[in-house]
Amino acid sequence: MYDLTSFLTTISAGSASFAAILGGMLATKVIEINNKRFTV
């Protein structure tokens, strides 16, 4: 049988890093909007 463990591990690691990058961008935007609201 063909072992898919390394392939699935690579896909899950890639998905996790992609989600982390998107989450970081979203958090940055939320903090930026929040700072603008309290500055004015």
Side-chain angles (χ1 to χ4, degrees), residues 2-20:
Y2 185 70
D3 191 17
L4 289 176
T5 305
S6 61
F7 178 69
L8 294 177
T9 303
T10 304
I11 289 195
S12 63
S15 299
S17 60
F18 184 69

Side-chain angles (χ1 to χ4, degrees), residues 17-36:
S17 60
F18 184 69
I21 290 170
L22 285 180
M25 289 180 173
L26 181 64
T28 303
K29 286 293 183 186
V30 169
I31 291 171
E32 182 181 328
I33 291 171
N34 199 18
N35 286 340
K36 283 183 181 177

